[in-house]
Amino acid sequence: SRGTWQLYYNGFGEVVKEVNGRSETKETFYTKLGQVSRTVQLDKTVSGRSLVSCNVYGNSKSAHNIGKLTDSYQFRVTGSAPSCENLIANNTASISKHYTFDDLGRPESSVTKNAGGEFKTVSSYNSLGQVSQMALPNGMFVKSYYTNGQLRSNYDVATNKLLSKIERVDAR
């Protein structure tokens, strides 16, 4: 009922083109390291327009982001899509995300911008490298507790209200 999907691969086994059951096409482009750099697909909201997603990867030793996704943008483009470099430099993305990393290269913050505003999340870690506290875009701070390395519960820091609790885990 959903039709036949077709996937096309490059010599590295990466999907470079997919055609879904409604004959809608998505093309995917990669960096030399095999990271997704760009995707182009149909924008279903306006005829003749494409959604172009561009990913930027870090190369800064001091920012601890070498090879990590640092920025992601989505553009609505009419006609042929210019390069990601051109889009990023000369256009406003409909959605953008920016990521930073701590001194150990772990995700520290993410900022998402869209028509609804700017939304920031910040994480901190305990001595075992587990997320211990997270500041969410709505202003809530969540504290995580662990037992024997397993996440056991999450609490709202301001109210000390239990948000989630894991009762038991199996041996896997």
Side-chain angles (χ1 to χ4, degrees):
S1 68
R2 300 243 189 250
T4 302
W5 284 60
Q6 296 174 314
L7 300 175
Y8 299 86
Y9 300 87
N10 64 16
F12 297 106
E14 301 160 336
V15 175
V16 294
K17 182 178 177 182
E18 54 186 87
V19 181
N20 69 19
R22 293 184 296 270
S23 297
E24 298 165 340
T25 301
K26 177 181 177 183
E27 293 181 281
T28 304
F29 302 86
Y30 299 87
T31 67
K32 293 177 184 174
L33 298 176
Q35 302 157 313
V36 174
S37 60
R38 171 185 169 108
T39 62
V40 180
Q41 64 189 41
L42 174 70
D43 181 347
K44 295 179 184 178
T45 63
V46 175
S47 179
R49 194 164 69 176
S50 298
L51 288 178
V52 179
S53 297
C54 300
N55 293 329
V56 177
Y57 297 89
N59 59 7
S60 171
K61 186 175 181 181
S62 63
H64 310 284
N65 67 11
I66 294 174
K68 296 179 182 181
L69 181 66
T70 58
D71 295 278
S72 180
Y73 305 91
Q74 185 179 78
F75 299 94
R76 289 182 152 80
V77 176
T78 302
S80 65
S83 70
C84 279
E85 292 78 10
N86 185 301
L87 284 169
I88 293 167
N90 300 310
N91 296 278
T92 301
S94 55
I95 300 172
S96 68
K97 296 180 182 182
H98 176 71
Y99 305 94
T100 62
F101 303 89
D102 70 9
D103 290 345
L104 298 177
R106 301 173 296 198
E108 183 175 54
S109 70
S110 71
V111 178
T112 301
K113 295 179 185 178
N114 61 29
E118 182 175 298
F119 307 92
K120 185 172 185 177
T121 301
V122 179
S123 300
S124 61
Y125 299 85
N126 64 23
S127 62
L128 299 175
Q130 300 160 316
V131 174
S132 62
Q133 191 163 306
M134 185 175 285
L136 301 177
N138 63 1
M140 179 186 283
F141 286 85
V142 176
K143 178 84 174 151
S144 299
Y145 293 93
Y146 299 83
T147 302
N148 299 324
Q150 296 274 346
L151 178 64
R152 289 295 176 194
S153 57
N154 289 305
Y155 285 85
D156 180 333
V157 172
T159 64
N160 205 33
K161 179 182 177 183
L162 178 66
L163 300 173
S164 64
K165 183 177 181 180
I166 298 173
E167 297 286 335
R168 62 180 181 256
V169 296
D170 63 22
R172 292 187 209 203

